[in-house]
Amino acid sequence: MPAVPQATNRTLGLGQVSLLLVGIPGLESFQAWIGIPFFFMYVTALVGNTTILCVVKMEPALHKPMYLFLCMLAANDLIVSTSVVPKMLQVLWLGSREIGFDACLVQMYFIHTFSIVESAILLAMSFDRYVAICHPLHYATILSGPVVVKMGLAAAARGVLLVIPCPVLIKRLPYCFRRVVPHAYCEHMAVVKLACADTTLNRTYGICVALSVVLLDLGLIAASYSMILQAVFRLTSQEARAKALGTCAAHACTLLVTYVPALFSFLTHRIGRHVPPYIHILMACLYLLLAPAVNPLVYGVKTQQIRQRVLRLFGQGEKVLVEH
């Protein structure tokens, strides 16, 4: 009796294949509870970043490079968190683990593209602080409106172009009915590991992109801050020194909450073989959720102009409610 040929992802078409997201391996019984802080971080990100966008838009006095870069960061954080949290909460709370292969690739593309864009925006913000502190007289000339727009477009273009090969390379691989993704969302390496073929090209390209982006951006950010600190400590006025350091404090906090979880997740995925999978997945989730939730709070507290406008906005809202 002739053997019945088995269907593969080549004959079915990857568009007809569904994958299953596990959530957080090893913590399945706690996933509903874990989803609660993730939900509140997402709500905080939505409210905080939307508030920053609205405040900057309504206040002409805030239409300056520093706040325009902050708006880019807020919009980017909204896109990143919205790309991952709704489906993640479906997995953690409702047990709705299935996701189409193409939908998985779209989620993966958005997550990694806008993570790279975020890194470029943070680099642009460090350059903004460098120019403001080291070359204050030329600030308006160097960071004019068209230059800020071009920097934003360059950041977006870099992310879009660098990540395009990832889904293209993934779609060329056979998967041999491997459908279970041991992750809470469609992360690049988690999907690549499902393939039943040589994935050297995928792994090499992924690590080259990650290393080039992180090393280039962090290197330039470190160079900017070394020059900023040299300029600050040359100031004779204690008040001017404190003010200059204060303007950098919010950006420094943003760098920490963005890059520390990112580097931990990146390193454990490749060399942390003894790190429990649930630790890696939790850090990967925090990498995408912590910065969008914390950034608006940090800038709202540390940036006086933002804080004053927000308080004024809510004060006017309360006055309207009292009058009615």
Side-chain angles (χ1 to χ4, degrees), residues 13 37 47 63 65 68 105 108 133 152 167 191 195 224 234 248 254 272 312:
V47 174
H63 294 177
L68 295 178
L105 292 187
M108 182 198 75
I133 293 172
V191 177
S224 297
R234 283 200 298 264
C248 298
T254 299
R312 187 191 307 169

Side-chain angles (χ1 to χ4, degrees), residues 83-202:
S83 297
V84 65
V85 175
K87 182 58 186 178
M88 185 191 297
L89 292 179
Q90 286 182 17
V91 174
L92 299 179
W93 282 353
L94 306 177
S96 177
R97 302 191 298 156
E98 190 169 331
I99 183 171
F101 191 87
D102 288 339
C104 185
L105 292 187
V106 170
Q107 185 190 56
M108 182 198 75
Y109 182 78
F110 269 76
I111 289 170
H112 292 293
T113 294
F114 287 98
S115 295
I116 292 175
V117 172
E118 176 133 349
S119 184
I121 294 171
L122 292 176
L123 174 58
M125 293 173 78
S126 70
F127 179 69
D128 169 79
R129 292 299 83 208
Y130 162 74
V131 175
I133 293 172
C134 298
H135 303 282
L137 298 179
H138 303 287
Y139 181 78
T141 305
I142 296 173
L143 285 172
S144 61
V147 170
V148 171
V149 171
K150 288 176 182 177
M151 291 173 71
L153 291 176
R158 185 183 71 159
V160 168
L161 294 176
L162 284 178
V163 182
I164 279 179
C166 292
V168 173
L169 292 173
I170 284 175
K171 293 212 60 159
R172 79 187 226 290
L173 297 170
Y175 289 87
C176 308
F177 299 101
R178 294 179 183 177
R179 301 177 56 212
V180 179
V181 181
H183 213 294
Y185 58 86
C186 292
E187 195 266 343
H188 176 247
M189 285 305 301
V191 177
V192 168
K193 287 180 179 179
L194 297 180
C196 53
D198 182 24
T199 59
T200 302
L201 181 59
N202 300 71

Side-chain angles (χ1 to χ4, degrees), residues 24-323:
I24 304 173
L27 296 178
E28 286 83 359
S29 57
F30 299 99
Q31 289 190 154
W33 294 102
I34 294 170
I36 294 174
F38 287 171
F39 170 75
F40 281 110
M41 280 192 280
Y42 181 53
V43 171
T44 302
L46 289 179
V47 174
N49 287 296
T50 303
T51 300
I52 284 179
L53 289 171
C54 291
V55 167
V56 174
K57 181 181 179 181
M58 291 188 300
E59 291 288 343
L62 297 181
H63 294 177
K64 299 175 182 178
M66 174 182 174
Y67 303 105
L68 295 178
F69 286 129
L70 182 55
C71 284
M72 293 180 196
L73 184 67
N76 194 80
D77 283 342
L78 286 172
I79 295 171
V80 170
S81 55
T82 302
S83 297
V84 65
V85 175
K87 182 58 186 178
M88 185 191 297
L89 292 179
Q90 286 182 17
V91 174
L92 299 179
W93 282 353
L94 306 177
S96 177
R97 302 191 298 156
E98 190 169 331
I99 183 171
F101 191 87
D102 288 339
C104 185
L105 292 187
V106 170
Q107 185 190 56
M108 182 198 75
Y109 182 78
F110 269 76
I111 289 170
H112 292 293
T113 294
F114 287 98
S115 295
I116 292 175
V117 172
E118 176 133 349
S119 184
I121 294 171
L122 292 176
L123 174 58
M125 293 173 78
S126 70
F127 179 69
D128 169 79
R129 292 299 83 208
Y130 162 74
V131 175
I133 293 172
C134 298
H135 303 282
L137 298 179
H138 303 287
Y139 181 78
T141 305
I142 296 173
L143 285 172
S144 61
V147 170
V148 171
V149 171
K150 288 176 182 177
M151 291 173 71
L153 291 176
R158 185 183 71 159
V160 168
L161 294 176
L162 284 178
V163 182
I164 279 179
C166 292
V168 173
L169 292 173
I170 284 175
K171 293 212 60 159
R172 79 187 226 290
L173 297 170
Y175 289 87
C176 308
F177 299 101
R178 294 179 183 177
R179 301 177 56 212
V180 179
V181 181
H183 213 294
Y185 58 86
C186 292
E187 195 266 343
H188 176 247
M189 285 305 301
V191 177
V192 168
K193 287 180 179 179
L194 297 180
C196 53
D198 182 24
T199 59
T200 302
L201 181 59
N202 300 71
R203 293 168 182 268
T204 303
Y205 183 77
I207 197 168
C208 287
V209 168
L211 285 176
S212 62
V213 168
V214 171
L215 293 178
L216 175 65
D217 291 358
L218 275 181
L220 292 174
I221 288 170
S224 297
Y225 269 89
S226 67
M227 289 184 282
I228 288 171
L229 291 175
Q230 288 177 19
V232 167
F233 289 114
R234 283 200 298 264
L235 296 173
T236 55
S237 169
Q238 189 71 25
E239 183 180 352
R241 187 182 300 174
K243 184 178 180 181
L245 289 174
T247 60
C248 298
H251 189 234
C253 292
T254 299
L255 292 172
L256 288 175
V257 298
T258 301
Y259 283 111
V260 171
L263 289 173
F264 183 89
S265 177
F266 174 78
L267 292 174
T268 55
H269 211 41
R270 283 147 178 95
I271 61 176
R273 296 182 180 179
H274 300 294
V275 178
Y278 65 87
I279 296 293
H280 166 68
I281 304 301
L282 286 173
M283 290 302 295
C285 294
L286 286 176
Y287 159 56
L288 296 178
L289 291 176
L290 190 60
V294 170
N295 288 345
L297 300 177
V298 169
Y299 281 100
V301 171
K302 288 288 184 181
T303 309
Q304 184 180 5
Q305 292 88 339
I306 295 284
R307 184 173 66 251
Q308 289 176 344
R309 264 64 173 194
V310 170
L311 291 175
R312 187 191 307 169
L313 180 66
F314 283 104
Q316 289 176 348
E318 289 178 1
K319 187 184 295 185
V320 170
L321 289 174
V322 170
E323 289 175 354

